[in-house]
Amino acid sequence: MKNIAVIGAGYWGKNLVRNFSDLGVLKTICDPLADVQKSMQGLYPSIGIESELSRVLEDDDIQAVAIATPAETHFEVGLKALTAGKHVFMEKPLCLDVRHAEELIHLAEDKKRILMVGHVLHYHPAIIRMKELINEGQIGKVDYFYSNRLNLGKFRLEENILWSFAPHDISLMLSLVKDYPQTIYCMGGSYLSKSIADVTLCTFSFSSGVRGHIYVSWLHPTKEQKVVVVGNQGMLVFDDGEAPEKKLTLFRHKVLWKNGVPTPDKSEAEAIALSWSEPLRNECRAFLSAIESGKPPMTDGGEGLQTLRLLNDCQRSLTSGGPIASDSSKHSSDGPFIHPTAVIDSKVTLGQGTKVWHFAHVSEGARIGPQCSLGQNVFVGRHVSIGKNVKIQNNVSLYEKVEIEDDVFLGPSMVFTNVLNPRSEISRKNEYRKTLVKKGATIGANATIVCGHTIGSYAFVGAGAVVTKDVPDFALVYGSPARQQGWMCRCGERLPDGEGSKRSCSACNSHYEYSKSAKGMTISKTSSKERSPVG
């Protein structure tokens, strides 16, 4: 089925047009420029040509769009496409503003649509193999990352060289190091235009001791794209200027200490065999596969957001003329706050206004909504989903398969599990059971929630309780094992006990009625004179 439209068919968009056409899924090419339309019509006579984005988005037969318009338009075009219910492939960068990126990510989640960013290096056969070799320990512990991306042109007037060339290398560095740098220093020079940097050199220091630098220029006499990763037992070199059989090389060089003097111990270079395929074709296939499976791609919106954060940090260092520390730069006044001791893995989404405090750890793929608070020593496992305005107190661990809806309160040191019968010597990762905590629920200090159960909306689990079965909406439970002891109002006050099916809150005058179908209380009515139970 032909179901992809490419928005923008210029300098880079024409490559997306070619690949999606060859894959047999291109239905429409959209570009406002008459000469581009004429060129595309000549090359692809069977493909529809449009000048107006609105007509593309109104076409129900188009399932997804690939956006290759100028970076300053990415947010506007992406917002319209996601609102129209289309899956979105966005060329790098995701957009220019962190808050706009977060908005696109949340919209994609709400619409249950794929949002993918065009960080094509991740789909390069040599980079894929490089990651495999690093994960296999072929070069030991990674100590140093550096990359050169140099060329003569293509010059731009709407963005500097940092935003034009560096996103791919920043994205790759974050993926390999699996950390966010503590210190960022970006230096540059503007030669063609006073306000636009033509050359930048960014240096990065990570808490793990890893160092990195990224050098980009469009004022270089020859084209060079090279990535070097140095480990304590070897080195890997990716040189995209070489033929496929020479693009990735392993050097098992070491540095030996002899009589207190570091001495190189060199070895012969090993060319790494690759199963070659075009990186952009691989990237386009990954987008189609993500749409088909519903699973986030390797370069999803969260990955694009982390890259955008670091691009912004580099730009601020470039503008200020000096290094910046990540404890003051990983968030804006309206964005998330991340304490310097916290660890945020790759592909993490943090909502606007969310605060991550001392020694917290948020794992890969986790999604945390806006205005949340993660206290000291909080751990959030892989792909855990947390809604908005969630308060997580100190020493709480949310393991994989835990889902938290909006406005939930998790008390100090309460415990989730995800396996019913754990054994240290037996892997049970395929037996994880989902635990759902629904909107507005409260779980008290030191309570334990046995996996596989649901805590109902506005339910209240008392301190120290051990929950071994589902908890109904608005129920009050405590004890070990926890048993229902009454009902709670949305405002947090206990409803009066009684024999009938109806209750009224003396604090906020909300009215409730027991529902057999819901197996719990439901709000029956609230008069216009009554104040909201949630303030």
Side-chain angles (χ1 to χ4, degrees), residues 49-69:
I49 306 294
E50 286 284 359
S51 61
E52 297 293 333
L53 174 64
S54 59
R55 288 201 287 267
V56 173
L57 300 183
E58 290 166 0
D59 188 342
D60 292 335
D61 289 336
I62 294 176
Q63 186 180 6
V65 297
I67 299 170
T69 57

Side-chain angles (χ1 to χ4, degrees), residues 131-150:
K131 291 181 179 180
E132 293 173 347
L133 292 170
I134 292 171
N135 291 334
E136 292 167 7
Q138 293 291 332
I139 63 170
K141 175 184 174 295
V142 172
D143 289 327
Y144 185 39
F145 170 98
Y146 67 88
S147 68
N148 295 340
R149 187 178 292 266
L150 316 170

Side-chain angles (χ1 to χ4, degrees), residues 94-411:
L94 175 55
C95 53
L96 300 180
D97 186 283
V98 167
R99 287 171 292 183
H100 286 164
E102 292 170 342
E103 186 173 343
L104 292 179
I105 290 168
H106 292 307
L107 181 58
E109 291 173 348
D110 290 342
K111 294 286 188 178
K112 294 181 171 53
R113 291 296 179 264
I114 295 298
L115 175 59
M116 178 172 170
V117 185
H119 291 153
V120 70
L121 267 186
H122 292 277
Y123 303 92
H124 196 297
I127 296 298
I128 293 171
R129 186 66 183 124
M130 172 185 278
K131 291 181 179 180
E132 293 173 347
L133 292 170
I134 292 171
N135 291 334
E136 292 167 7
Q138 293 291 332
I139 63 170
K141 175 184 174 295
V142 172
D143 289 327
Y144 185 39
F145 170 98
Y146 67 88
S147 68
N148 295 340
R149 187 178 292 266
L150 316 170
N151 204 356
L152 184 62
K154 174 178 189 277
F155 308 118
R156 297 180 181 271
L157 297 178
E158 71 277 7
E159 64 187 20
N160 63 26
I161 185 64
L162 174 70
W163 288 85
S164 182
F165 275 24
H168 293 300
D169 303 285
I170 285 177
S171 170
L172 178 60
M173 181 182 69
L174 290 173
S175 172
L176 292 177
V177 180
K178 297 181 173 61
D179 196 5
Y180 195 93
Q182 286 186 318
T183 306
I184 301 105
Y185 187 15
C186 181
M187 300 169 285
S190 303
Y191 306 103
L192 301 180
S193 177
K194 185 176 180 181
S195 60
I196 299 176
D198 306 300
V199 178
T200 61
L201 173 64
C202 298
T203 61
F204 308 93
S205 300
F206 294 85
S207 60
S208 61
V210 176
R211 298 291 184 268
H213 88 233
I214 293 174
Y215 173 42
V216 292
S217 171
W218 55 33
L219 277 180
H220 197 77
T222 59
K223 184 175 182 179
E224 179 179 334
Q225 183 181 338
K226 186 177 292 187
V227 173
V228 178
V229 183
V230 177
N232 62 359
Q233 297 180 24
M235 305 173 186
L236 284 163
V237 177
F238 162 64
D239 188 343
D240 207 24
E242 293 284 359
E245 65 272 14
K246 296 181 179 180
K247 285 185 183 292
L248 183 62
T249 307
L250 172 62
F251 296 85
R252 299 190 184 274
H253 298 336
K254 297 179 182 178
V255 178
L256 304 178
W257 288 83
K258 298 181 179 180
N259 301 318
V261 177
T263 305
D265 180 17
K266 296 184 179 181
S267 64
E268 292 295 324
E270 301 175 27
I272 303 300
L274 302 174
S275 178
W276 182 252
S277 54
E278 182 187 354
L280 185 57
R281 181 66 55 86
N282 297 339
E283 187 177 47
C284 292
R285 285 196 180 104
F287 181 51
L288 299 177
S289 177
I291 294 172
E292 180 71 23
S293 67
K295 296 180 180 179
M298 179 167 37
T299 55
D300 64 0
E303 191 274 340
L305 175 61
Q306 281 293 77
T307 300
L308 179 59
R309 288 189 201 282
L310 192 45
L311 275 168
N312 272 286
D313 286 347
C314 292
Q315 180 64 53
R316 287 194 290 139
S317 174
L318 179 65
T319 303
S320 68
I324 60 174
S326 62
D327 60 348
S328 63
S329 63
K330 284 177 70 174
H331 59 281
S332 66
S333 58
D334 294 324
F337 167 82
I338 304 169
H339 191 271
T341 62
V343 176
I344 309 296
D345 289 351
S346 63
K347 302 181 182 179
V348 166
T349 301
L350 294 177
Q352 181 176 341
T354 286
K355 293 179 172 59
V356 184
W357 291 102
H358 308 67
F359 307 110
H361 181 184
V362 183
S363 300
E364 179 181 354
R367 288 177 165 80
I368 301 174
Q371 305 303 323
C372 294
S373 177
L374 279 64
Q376 181 172 310
N377 295 326
V378 167
F379 171 78
V380 180
R382 296 175 71 252
H383 307 299
V384 166
S385 174
I386 298 173
K388 65 182 179 181
N389 193 38
V390 174
K391 303 298 185 290
I392 306 174
Q393 303 303 296
N394 296 349
N395 306 313
V396 176
S397 293
L398 293 85
Y399 300 111
E400 193 170 352
K401 287 290 187 178
V402 173
E403 181 177 346
I404 309 294
E405 293 186 350
D406 298 344
D407 304 312
V408 168
F409 179 90
L410 303 178

Side-chain angles (χ1 to χ4, degrees), residues 487-498:
W487 300 100
M488 298 291 288
C489 177
R490 284 179 65 185
C491 71
E493 296 294 326
R494 183 169 181 171
L495 296 174
D497 295 331

